[in-house]
Amino acid sequence: MKKIVEWCVEQKITIISDECYINFSPDPEFTLRKFSKEIIVINSFSKTYAMTGWRVGYVICPTELNTVIGKFLDCYMSCPSSISDAAAVTAMKTKPLDDFVLQREIIHEWLKENDIAFEPSTGGIFIFPDFAKVMQEKNLATSIDLASYFLDKVDVATTPGSSFGEAYDTHLRISYCIDPEELKIALEKLSEAIKLDLNPL
């Protein structure tokens, strides 16, 4: 990563680093700006402080860009409400959300038990397993079909992998940023749906 940053700086390429999920990574203190103060970092209160919908975020950038970014926001984005501003100030005085280590372990174990291919998640709040085997068993053609199947049969919502490109049409994105016990219940429901015989004799 450091070498990439150094090369970009040498080539005068501006790096914009989206670090909205950094608090849910193995190293919450990490930022690309440790390699160069020329990097622009964008962040949000939506994830770290569970303030989804409050529309509050911030930018860390070289001083000379402050005025330029401010003018852009005034013209195109307006500004957060005073209520959102006050909530953000209060949030910064509180402890951020903890990383979802336990939930991550729970869903990893469930995927292994059900023989579903996946790359272990090391941070964030999502995992992106490959349900190709399940789709074949259920005779489902697309990830939209699979997501609809889980929603219709057991009321568990997932995001079709095709939303992220045709190459991922056998995947589902699953969020695990909920209470561990609720996550276990949701996964038990998915297990029921996977085991359900669609063509009983």
Side-chain angles (χ1 to χ4, degrees):
M1 189 72 73
K2 183 179 180 181
K3 290 183 178 180
I4 293 174
V5 171
E6 290 174 347
W7 182 84
C8 288
V9 171
E10 290 174 1
Q11 302 299 317
K12 300 188 183 304
I13 296 173
T14 300
I15 297 175
I16 301 176
S17 178
D18 180 348
E19 300 182 3
C20 292
Y21 288 94
I22 197 66
N23 194 63
F24 308 125
S25 70
D27 182 8
E29 301 299 320
F30 177 81
T31 174
L32 275 187
R33 277 179 65 84
K34 68 186 291 185
F35 299 129
S36 171
K37 298 305 180 185
E38 297 301 310
I39 292 174
I40 299 171
V41 169
I42 57 175
N43 214 319
S44 166
F45 285 74
S46 298
K47 310 301 185 294
T48 302
Y49 296 102
M51 290 180 60
T52 306
W54 289 79
R55 318 309 298 166
V56 182
Y58 58 91
V59 176
I60 303 173
C61 64
T63 304
E64 61 270 19
L65 291 179
N66 283 343
T67 302
V68 176
I69 292 175
K71 288 180 178 178
F72 175 83
L73 292 176
D74 280 344
C75 293
Y76 293 96
M77 304 294 290
S78 185
C79 60
S81 68
S82 58
I83 297 173
S84 293
D85 278 342
V89 170
T90 300
M92 292 182 72
K93 297 176 182 178
T94 64
K95 183 178 180 293
L97 290 177
D98 291 326
D99 188 16
F100 298 96
V101 176
L102 177 57
Q103 290 91 327
R104 198 172 296 128
E105 292 174 352
I106 290 171
I107 200 165
H108 283 177
E109 189 60 32
W110 179 83
L111 290 165
K112 292 175 184 176
E113 290 175 355
N114 286 273
D115 195 26
I116 297 170
F118 72 101
E119 289 293 329
S121 173
T122 58
I125 60 175
F126 301 107
I127 196 162
F128 200 53
D130 187 346
F131 285 84
K133 185 177 178 181
V134 175
M135 290 174 63
Q136 185 176 11
E137 292 173 352
K138 301 295 180 188
N139 196 28
L140 298 171
T142 69
S143 57
I144 293 178
D145 294 336
L146 180 61
S148 298
Y149 171 77
F150 284 143
L151 187 60
D152 292 340
K153 296 297 182 183
V154 292
D155 297 322
V156 175
T158 58
T159 302
S162 58
S163 299
F164 307 96
E166 293 181 4
Y168 305 106
D169 204 20
T170 58
H171 292 66
L172 293 178
R173 188 180 76 166
I174 301 174
S175 170
Y176 51 79
C177 62
I178 58 175
D179 179 82
E181 293 306 313
E182 291 183 2
L183 178 60
K184 289 178 182 178
I185 292 172
L187 295 176
E188 287 174 4
K189 288 183 176 182
L190 290 180
S191 294
E192 292 173 9
I194 290 172
K195 295 173 183 176
L196 185 63
D197 187 356
L198 297 183
N199 299 293
L201 295 176

